[in-house]
Amino acid sequence: MTEKNHIKTVDELTFTDDGMFQAVMHDPEICAELIERLLHIRVKKIEYPELEKVIAPYYSSKGVRLDVYIKDSDRIIDIECQANLKPSLGKRTRYYQSMIDIDCLMKGESYHKLKESFILFLCKEDPFYDENNKRYGLPCYTFKNICAENSHINLNDKTMKVIYNASAYEKENDKLIKAFLRFIHTNEPGEDDFSNRLSRIVTKLKENEKFRSDYLAMNLHDFDIRYEALNEGRQEKAVEAAINAIALGLSPEQISKITSLTVEQILELQKEVMVKT
């Protein structure tokens, strides 16, 4: 099994991994502090961050699952964490923005009721590179809709996309952001108080039996597994997904629902895995 397709055990999880990131962000105070540090905006109060919010407005349209979704009277903030870069980041943010707007505005409502929105991506590696495949190496990339002919003219659509590249943390001038990006990239909290609190929460969650059982039962990679194994209908992807799920400890019945393989096929795979280990 390649490193890319390896599904981590609970003890291997870090702050940036699926499941762990959402669980840590479950704390409204932590969530608010992260937003204030990275977006430089004041957060009055976060009642309850909505985790893994699913927006699928039409049966035939592609839905999205957002890592952490915060919505109040003034603004909407979507926070995404990518330990491994996924393709088409730019178009991904474009689609996320469209789904957020659809979710925000009821039928018949005026456009002026659209809330200010922020899409915040935390990436361990640099997602942007030039035509020579050379990374640009900025610690932060901020995108707004600005007039090409006159940069002083802002479209004023109240949207912003902020993408952090943790691998360039040494170039960041803001000390608080630099410390956080260093933690993201190295998993070492250093002397930063916020990063140390995050690290302690991660350790505590790993020892929490409910979190451990939820992580195993829910199969946190089910979205990618379904996409590869069901939508593409490729048998080899279904087998690979089943092997990953076996490593997580899911039952043959659960794996069958995820991959479309039969229980009998999964039992045979279990035997093969046992022999190899």
Side-chain angles (χ1 to χ4, degrees):
M1 189 184 302
T2 65
E3 181 68 24
K4 182 179 178 181
N5 295 321
H6 171 65
I7 295 180
K8 294 183 177 181
T9 65
V10 173
D11 293 327
E12 293 175 312
L13 293 177
T14 65
F15 171 69
T16 58
D17 288 312
D18 285 344
M20 181 60 76
F21 175 73
Q22 291 90 337
V24 175
M25 289 296 102
H26 192 274
D27 185 328
E29 292 185 3
I30 290 291
C31 198
E33 186 164 350
L34 183 143
I35 291 168
E36 291 184 349
R37 180 176 292 211
L38 299 183
L39 294 180
H40 307 289
I41 58 176
R42 295 295 299 171
V43 178
K44 297 177 182 178
K45 186 178 182 181
I46 294 182
E47 292 290 348
Y48 198 84
E50 191 169 351
L51 308 180
E52 291 198 322
K53 177 179 175 63
V54 177
I55 304 176
Y58 307 108
Y59 175 76
S60 59
S61 66
K62 178 180 175 66
V64 296
R65 186 187 325 195
L66 308 177
D67 282 354
V68 181
Y69 187 81
I70 298 115
K71 183 177 181 180
D72 61 24
S73 58
D74 300 319
R75 60 173 69 104
I76 294 173
I77 303 171
D78 167 40
I79 310 173
E80 303 290 324
C81 189
Q82 291 200 347
N84 298 304
L85 290 178
K86 296 178 182 178
S88 304
L89 180 61
K91 290 184 177 180
R92 184 183 293 269
T93 64
R94 169 182 166 182
Y95 196 74
Y96 283 13
Q97 183 64 63
S98 67
M99 291 294 100
I100 288 170
D101 289 342
I102 289 173
D103 187 59
C104 176
L105 203 63
M106 298 294 291
K107 182 178 180 180
E109 286 188 320
S110 172
Y111 292 121
H112 85 270
K113 290 190 175 181
L114 281 172
K115 300 176 185 293
E116 181 180 24
S117 71
F118 297 84
I119 296 178
L120 172 61
F121 267 77
L122 309 177
C123 300
K124 292 190 72 172
E125 304 298 333
D126 195 339
F128 298 108
Y129 45 88
D130 62 20
E131 63 275 8
N132 297 316
N133 208 34
K134 181 180 179 181
R135 304 289 174 175
Y136 286 106
L138 297 178
C140 181
Y141 302 88
T142 302
F143 298 93
K144 299 180 181 179
N145 287 321
I146 304 294
C147 178
E149 290 75 18
N150 186 337
S151 60
H152 294 289
I153 303 174
N154 191 317
L155 186 60
N156 199 31
D157 59 352
K158 301 296 182 183
T159 66
M160 183 185 296
K161 300 171 183 69
V162 181
I163 300 170
Y164 277 97
N165 163 30
S167 67
Y169 69 88
E170 292 182 342
K171 298 179 182 179
E172 176 57 51
N173 294 322
D174 186 304
K175 292 182 179 180
L176 295 179
I177 295 177
K178 180 178 181 178
F180 176 73
L181 293 181
R182 180 183 180 277
F183 172 59
I184 290 287
H185 187 65
T186 66
N187 198 39
E188 298 175 359
E191 297 180 359
D192 179 55
D193 176 67
F194 183 58
S195 299
N196 272 282
R197 277 186 284 143
L198 294 176
S199 183
R200 288 194 294 270
I201 293 173
V202 169
T203 300
K204 188 174 180 180
L205 283 168
K206 288 181 181 181
E207 297 170 352
N208 184 286
E209 288 302 321
K210 185 178 186 306
F211 174 79
R212 296 178 73 90
S213 61
D214 286 348
Y215 179 75
L216 292 174
M218 291 176 63
N219 188 0
L220 297 169
H221 289 261
D222 63 333
F223 181 84
D224 287 337
I225 289 173
R226 285 194 178 97
Y227 180 82
E228 294 179 348
L230 295 178
N231 293 352
E232 292 186 354
R234 294 163 62 180
Q235 183 74 6
E236 63 272 20
K237 291 294 183 181
V239 170
E240 183 177 273
I243 293 172
N244 288 342
I246 289 170
L248 279 173
L250 273 67
S251 70
E253 290 76 15
Q254 289 173 313
I255 299 171
S256 179
K257 291 179 181 179
I258 293 170
T259 63
S260 77
L261 296 176
T262 66
V263 173
E264 290 73 20
Q265 289 173 311
I266 294 163
L267 290 172
E268 287 298 318
L269 279 175
Q270 281 183 328
K271 292 179 183 178
E272 293 179 20
V273 171
M274 290 295 291
V275 169
K276 292 179 180 180
T277 56

